[in-house]
Amino acid sequence: MINNLSIRSSLVTKEQRGSVESQVCYLTNRILRLTRHLQLHRRDYSSQRGLWKIVGKRKRLLVYLFKRDRLRYDDLIGQLGIRGLKTR
């Protein structure tokens, strides 16, 4: 996974600010920040709950993108370096 957050923000152009890709990129940055916070503060349960809510929202957006446009989904997963969805 890419640790440099500035690279992720440059993946989205100015015209695509509200797109699914930009939202997933933003949520991924928040997930990384909260994960680092929770490594220091293991018993911060309210932050854990917030993290799970953000992960769920990102997952819903990825499911939507997977159903709508598989090529954009595969490209986004590759650029962000995150795991793909489990398929049955």
Side-chain angles (χ1 to χ4, degrees):
M1 187 173 288
I2 302 171
N3 287 330
N4 191 355
L5 299 179
S6 63
I7 293 173
R8 281 216 184 86
S9 62
S10 66
L11 293 175
V12 181
T13 62
K14 193 170 186 172
E15 293 83 26
Q16 298 175 332
R17 294 295 164 134
S19 68
V20 176
E21 289 93 345
S22 65
Q23 292 179 48
V24 170
C25 181
Y26 173 72
L27 291 174
T28 302
N29 287 336
R30 287 183 63 193
I31 288 170
L32 290 175
R33 271 190 300 161
L34 270 175
T35 302
R36 279 192 230 116
H37 169 76
L38 288 171
Q39 287 173 350
L40 294 175
H41 308 282
R42 296 187 188 276
R43 299 176 75 182
D44 187 357
Y45 299 116
S46 58
S47 292
Q48 284 181 7
R49 182 172 185 263
L51 176 65
W52 283 113
K53 289 181 79 160
I54 295 170
V55 168
K57 187 169 193 162
R58 183 180 73 174
K59 183 180 176 184
R60 287 192 301 273
L61 285 170
L62 287 172
V63 167
Y64 169 79
L65 189 61
F66 182 81
K67 290 179 182 177
R68 297 283 292 194
D69 192 353
R70 182 72 188 260
L71 294 176
R72 283 172 51 198
Y73 168 80
D74 290 334
D75 187 40
L76 181 65
I77 294 296
Q79 287 179 349
L80 292 179
I82 57 178
R83 285 187 306 200
L85 298 171
K86 293 181 182 178
T87 56
R88 293 183 188 185

